[in-house]
Amino acid sequence: MASADIYVGWVKNSVANVTDRHGASTNTFPPIDAEQNVKLLGGSESDGWTNIKFERTIAACSGSDDIAITTSTLRIIWALGTNDPSGNDITPADYHGGGPEKRGVKSLLILESGGANPTLPDGETYKNFTMLNDAFNVPAEDTYYNCRLFEIPPLATKHHMVIIEPVIQAGNEANVHHILLYQCQYNVTLNASRLNTDTRCYASNMFSDFLECSLVIQSWAIGGGTFYYPNHVGFPLGEADSPKYVVMETHYDNPNLQSGIVDSSGLRVFYTSQLRQYDAGVLEVGHLVYPFNHLIPPNANSYLSYGECHKDCLAAGLTAQNQSDIKVFGVNFHTHLLGQALTLQHIRDGTELPYLGQDVSYDFNYQETKLLNQEVTVQTGDTLQLICDYNSKGRSNVTIAGLSTTDEMCLTFVSYYPKIPVMKCVSVPWMDQIYGYFGITNYTYNRQLDLYGTLNDVTAWEPPIYSGQTLSQIVNGISWNQTTANSFSDAVRKMIRIPICLGQVPLPGVPEYYFPTNIRTPYVPPSQCVDTTTATMATMTSMTTTTGGSTSTYVFNVTNFYISSAFALLLCYF
């Protein structure tokens, strides 16, 4: 409640009331705002429900106790009192109480959300198929990635995939962290005996067939809902280069090392023969997931990592398809536990355009696809750069990129159309320069480098002061703080980068390495503060229950997860 933007509503003697309040510095009775920036639209009581409808501006200007509604993740907090106020307003005596049944919380995307059920095109009919883990015994490990190979139902003609629905087994919601769907190379022949079998993802003994499947075509993560493609877009199935086989990667999160978890979660795909106007694609953008050159220092409130989708990679894909541009309609951000904010920059000729996406209050447990309110054109010559902001306070050692939720990632999955033959467009700073930052001039690897490696697998030999020490010993021997973390982040930002540009066909013209894109004119977001007489209004509807003839009062608080911004109610149906 502290610093939240709070709205309290009730209906008494058939008269609706709503007040604009705010959280104090602690979780105590919310004082009323000096400026009541809320407009009551009506209210009623019927059949045990109280309905209150009101509106407020999306923006919030300085001087008020309100907080702006943005495209970032917002955390909504609700609380329930037991009686109407005895007077004209609530008092500390009317404060809510009780246990979990009296209050709750949920993260939501209010302005950009892929979870809302849209109006589907008239006359469109669907078939579906389901890909599920088959009573998989989740190991008693903190993190486990299970890969399962599926065959897409054979189709004689082109179809469009239009809806992807998560099927999460009841009781396992906290353990199924995310599901990725990887397309196998369309021209590869797979061993049919591998179909519908499981293997540990990325392990050294992973079936070779699975290694042919590395291009993301869809993603779901904890907290997300059903994904609907825009009505003019569908992902193509049944064509020569469409996926015939896919690997479904399920990330199981089991921090309590619980045994006996059996899971049959997965995805249900709806598709149609009534083709939509455009073919969709998914582009993975960000920092390559590799533990040896993505290092996040401890003890920092903010540490910035950078990953680019280089302009030559995008240009190669556009040229191969004889296109000049693509239209971006959705963004799905992905980091692990340290991630607190992400920004997807759009750079053209040295000028930074408005962000393709931004979440300044990222919630690891709510990774919903953000459907943009307005499609954005990305054209030949443009570069995309993802900035991930990590809070590593509480960590005592350097965090590396990797698969565990205690490791880190810096990725976004960009949904766009028309489809081009590029599916992975990421980068990584040159390893020699990273190690050179710490003064290491000669080093060797103790084992084969893979996603399960650690900094103990790198041994330094020069200079003599480091001879025989592991990279882990060297970097964790530094007294990291915000200043040293900032210095390292700034140095890595300027280092030579290696692009990774992968797709369905060879993509010529992509350099082996490059210097980071120079942004000469940074983007400055416009002020949200506007005159409240002309501001766009956000309308909220609240509902409360009545018990034994006594109307219960809800206190609706919506707080921005990390920076305590807030607005009003949303989920309140019991």
Side-chain angles (χ1 to χ4, degrees), residues 371-518:
L371 284 179
L372 307 185
N373 292 324
Q374 185 173 356
E375 295 173 350
V376 178
T377 300
V378 175
Q379 64 188 38
T380 301
D382 290 359
T383 289
L384 308 181
Q385 177 166 252
L386 181 65
I387 304 176
C388 294
D389 186 356
Y390 303 101
N391 184 338
S392 61
K393 296 293 285 187
R395 294 281 176 99
S396 55
N397 290 324
V398 168
T399 300
I400 59 174
L403 303 176
S404 170
T405 52
T406 56
D407 296 331
E408 268 307 331
M409 293 186 179
C410 179
L411 296 172
T412 183
F413 301 101
V414 178
S415 297
Y416 71 93
Y417 71 88
K419 184 181 178 184
I420 60 175
V422 180
M423 303 187 78
K424 192 182 190 80
C425 187
V426 299
S427 69
V428 63
W430 191 14
M431 198 177 299
D432 283 356
Q433 288 197 320
I434 290 180
Y435 297 173
Y437 177 87
F438 301 108
I440 302 170
T441 56
N442 184 22
Y443 58 92
T444 57
Y445 304 119
N446 305 332
R447 51 167 285 180
Q448 180 180 354
L449 300 185
D450 58 27
L451 285 175
Y452 289 98
T454 72
L455 301 186
N456 287 318
D457 297 319
V458 180
T459 300
W461 299 109
E462 298 288 345
I465 191 175
Y466 288 150
S467 182
Q469 292 189 45
T470 66
L471 183 59
S472 176
Q473 291 173 313
I474 294 169
V475 299
N476 289 318
I478 296 172
S479 297
W480 291 103
N481 54 40
Q482 189 64 61
T483 299
T484 54
N486 288 344
S487 176
F488 182 52
S489 173
D490 189 58
V492 175
R493 178 179 62 86
K494 299 172 184 176
M495 290 178 184
I496 294 173
R497 300 184 189 181
I498 300 171
I500 292 87
C501 184
L502 301 176
Q504 297 166 307
V505 298
L507 296 165
V510 180
E512 293 184 7
Y513 61 87
Y514 66 96
F515 289 96
T517 300
N518 181 27

Side-chain angles (χ1 to χ4, degrees), residues 98-119:
E101 74 281 359
K102 297 284 188 174
R103 56 186 183 271
V105 62
K106 184 174 177 64
S107 289
L108 286 175
L109 292 169
I110 304 300
L111 300 185
E112 294 178 342
S113 176
N117 190 356
T119 301

Side-chain angles (χ1 to χ4, degrees), residues 324-340:
S324 60
D325 59 54
I326 56 175
K327 308 287 187 184
V328 174
F329 63 84
V331 175
N332 189 334
F333 290 128
H334 182 68
T335 73
H336 288 175
L337 294 172
L338 299 186
Q340 64 181 348

